Amino acid sequence: MKIVICGAGQVGYGIAERLAAEQNDVSVIDSSPQLITAIGDQLDVRGFVGHGAHPDVLAQAGAEEADMIVAVTLYDEVNMVACQVAHSVFNVPTKVARIRAQSYLQGRWRNLFSRENLPIDVIISPEIEVGEMVLRRLALPGAVETVRFADDNVVVVGIMCEEDCPVIDTPLRQLTELFPDLGAVVVGLYRNNHLFVPKSSDSIMVGDLAYVVARRDQVRRTLSIFGHEEPEAARVIIAGGGNIGLYVAQALEQRQSGTKIKLIESSRERAMSVADQLKRSVILHGSALDQTILNEADAADTDTMIALTNEDEVNILSSVMAKELGCKRSLSLLNNPSYPAFANALGIDAFINPRAVTISRILQHVRRGRIRGVHSLQNGAAEIVEAEALDTSPLVGKPLRVIDLPSGIRVGAVFRNGEVLTPNGDLQIQAQDRIIIFAVANRVRQVEQMFRVSLDFF
């Protein structure tokens, strides 16, 4: 695909890095010569210095032949105008824009982004996307990662396997025999910085991060089998009163009336603004790195510390400090892709990478075929893909046991007529089934081919 990206900041760079690595033709526009020089030196992309919404700059970047424009500058209005120009002048088929101001996204203005007005096909709101991811993690405290597919009927959870995990050293085929009605499938294991699809003879080892596809009603039971029965948090500290912190606090007030919330914000002006918008939360003005403030927030009696500031280092250190004071769990926002590798060693129980959340949303529209959902794992080492089977798909009409799936691909669940089916050797895929598949990075293209008209995908 030919893709034009407006904005070479953290998000734009991350998108360009991923798409260029997959041999897409990528052009990046930014008004900063320094950012364009850096991205051109480090990635196989073409860089253009200029205003992302100006027609002449878009033309230089190849908008006339582009399949997609991704506008992720720091300014909503630039992103919106870039999509409008790409549509009106260059007839770009797919237009994606990052829009942060919640005013634009209110329900009463839902027609604003229609094809007749501002023609934007995909709107990405980082605050909402990341905020909802935080809330899903809070709802399942035993999970390191949580993603939903098939209209929320299928949940993919990442589960850390500690020393007290009851299924350590148990072959996966034996797990199936022990829990035949579980409705969950282990599709991937992350071990020693390597993500792979396990065989039925493989056993789970201490320190593994297991990715499990489960029916929604079986998620808590699955976590329990892996030794995680942590209750939902009744006391929460939120470090950072920015847009994401405010969104999470407001959602918790509305959805979990019994949860006690304390929010720490370093800016006095912002703290006062947040206090005016929240009803039950206690707002503390100060630094999340100040032990006095953490004590005032009762960190010792807190169930979960949620670190959502704009600085990774503050999020990491405040989480570590809270755990040292007695906080049971921590959830941290980490933008730097190199930090998650040692986050668990520091005692951070779960983390969210906003850039990865954004990239996953965009990949759904880059992937070809009947792809309905995509989530990237471990900095692109693998993907969970939800795809709809066509009549011509090579998966349709054959028992799974006779389909020679390439190594690195595992079917996790099938969603058919509102029912979640757990895959086994006898299951036959039907047309219009929605299939949740785990695939390591170098097999993603083959997954796409399975759900296109062509039968020649091996």
Side-chain angles (χ1 to χ4, degrees):
M1 292 182 73
K2 185 173 182 58
I3 302 165
V4 176
I5 299 172
C6 298
Q10 281 194 349
V11 172
Y13 183 96
I15 296 167
E17 181 180 37
R18 183 66 181 276
L19 297 180
E22 297 181 359
Q23 310 306 313
N24 291 290
D25 183 351
V26 179
S27 299
V28 182
I29 301 169
D30 200 283
S31 58
S32 167
Q34 292 82 4
L35 289 178
I36 289 299
T37 299
I39 203 169
D41 290 344
Q42 299 173 46
L43 304 179
D44 184 18
V45 303
R46 293 179 297 143
F48 299 87
V49 178
H51 194 290
H54 288 178
D56 56 335
V57 178
L58 285 168
Q60 290 176 43
E64 292 180 356
E65 297 85 29
D67 299 296
M68 175 185 293
I69 181 171
V70 181
V72 288
T73 74
L74 295 175
Y75 306 102
D76 292 352
E77 291 74 20
V78 172
N79 297 337
M80 290 188 286
V81 174
C83 288
Q84 178 71 70
V85 173
H87 173 80
S88 302
V89 178
F90 302 107
N91 199 29
V92 177
T94 304
K95 298 156 287 290
V96 181
R98 178 171 67 173
I99 297 178
R100 308 183 71 171
Q102 298 303 298
S103 176
Y104 287 123
L105 304 177
Q106 293 178 16
R108 53 181 167 167
W109 316 126
R110 63 171 56 92
N111 291 327
L112 176 61
F113 301 106
S114 65
R115 190 173 183 85
E116 296 75 25
N117 298 313
L118 277 171
I120 300 175
D121 302 294
V122 183
I123 293 173
I124 296 173
S125 172
E127 287 77 16
I128 294 176
E129 299 281 347
V130 176
E132 286 298 324
M133 185 72 75
V134 170
L135 293 165
R136 287 196 291 271
R137 300 279 177 87
L138 285 176
L140 296 169
V144 174
E145 195 152 4
T146 308
V147 195
R148 298 188 180 190
F149 292 95
D151 302 332
D152 289 349
N153 288 284
V154 175
V155 181
V156 180
V157 289
I159 310 173
M160 281 303 303
C161 303
E162 312 288 357
E163 291 184 356
D164 59 351
C165 175
V167 295
I168 290 294
D169 295 329
T170 304
L172 294 182
R173 74 159 63 89
Q174 191 172 336
L175 277 181
T176 304
E177 296 168 0
L178 291 171
F179 308 101
D181 62 337
L182 180 58
V185 177
V186 178
V187 293
L189 291 177
Y190 186 64
R191 177 184 299 164
N192 298 326
N193 297 319
H194 175 57
L195 186 56
F196 64 96
V197 173
K199 300 175 182 177
S200 61
S201 58
D202 288 337
S203 297
I204 293 172
M205 299 173 61
V206 173
D208 283 354
L209 173 56
Y211 286 99
V212 184
V213 178
R215 295 201 319 259
R216 184 178 60 185
D217 61 346
Q218 292 291 318
V219 174
R220 293 191 184 278
R221 184 184 172 203
T222 301
L223 289 169
S224 176
I225 288 171
F226 280 78
H228 291 277
E229 297 184 273
E230 297 91 335
E232 287 190 41
R235 296 172 181 268
V236 169
I237 295 175
I238 299 175
N243 291 332
I244 297 175
L246 176 60
Y247 181 90
V248 171
Q250 288 175 325
L252 287 175
E253 286 189 344
Q254 294 169 6
R255 304 177 193 179
Q256 296 176 215
S257 58
T259 302
K260 295 183 178 180
I261 307 161
K262 294 185 179 179
L263 188 149
I264 302 172
E265 170 54 43
S266 59
S267 165
R268 182 176 182 81
E269 182 181 357
R270 180 62 181 177
M272 294 176 65
S273 173
V274 168
D276 290 339
Q277 299 178 68
L278 296 174
K279 299 175 181 178
R280 295 188 294 103
S281 304
V282 175
I283 312 302
L284 300 174
H285 171 229
S287 170
L289 297 180
D290 186 338
Q291 186 169 330
T292 303
I293 291 291
L294 290 174
N295 284 327
E296 189 176 345
D298 297 322
D301 297 319
T302 296
D303 297 313
T304 304
M305 169 73 165
I306 312 170
L308 303 174
T309 77
N310 291 324
E311 299 181 47
D312 287 358
E313 293 77 9
V314 172
N315 293 337
I316 292 172
L317 291 174
S318 62
S319 296
V320 172
M321 290 175 66
K323 290 287 290 286
E324 284 295 317
L325 290 171
C327 178
K328 296 182 180 66
R329 294 183 297 276
S330 62
L331 172 59
S332 182
L333 206 63
L334 299 179
N335 286 282
N336 189 320
S338 64
Y339 285 168
F342 59 82
N344 188 252
L346 291 173
I348 296 174
D349 300 293
F351 62 87
I352 293 174
N353 185 327
R355 187 169 66 173
V357 174
T358 302
I359 292 171
S360 291
R361 283 274 284 132
I362 291 171
L363 285 176
Q364 178 178 343
H365 301 277
V366 174
R367 298 284 174 253
R368 299 180 184 274
R370 292 292 185 91
I371 306 299
R372 300 180 66 117
V374 174
H375 186 77
S376 179
L377 302 172
Q378 298 295 334
N379 291 322
E383 289 180 16
I384 301 286
V385 178
E386 177 188 347
E388 181 180 339
L390 300 170
D391 289 319
T392 52
S393 169
L395 299 178
V396 169
K398 305 174 187 175
L400 285 180
R401 66 163 54 90
V402 304
I403 298 175
D404 186 21
L405 286 176
S407 61
I409 296 176
R410 172 70 55 83
V411 175
V414 175
F415 187 60
R416 177 186 300 163
N417 299 325
E419 181 183 1
V420 179
L421 307 176
T422 301
N424 58 48
D426 297 324
L427 180 64
Q428 294 188 26
I429 303 298
Q430 299 179 7
Q432 282 75 57
D433 280 355
R434 289 156 64 177
I435 307 166
I436 289 78
I437 291 180
F438 176 97
V440 297
N442 62 357
R443 296 298 190 187
V444 170
R445 291 299 183 195
Q446 287 172 287
V447 171
E448 292 181 23
Q449 291 298 323
M450 292 178 193
F451 297 95
R452 298 181 71 179
V453 174
S454 172
L455 295 179
D456 182 21
F457 71 98
F458 287 127

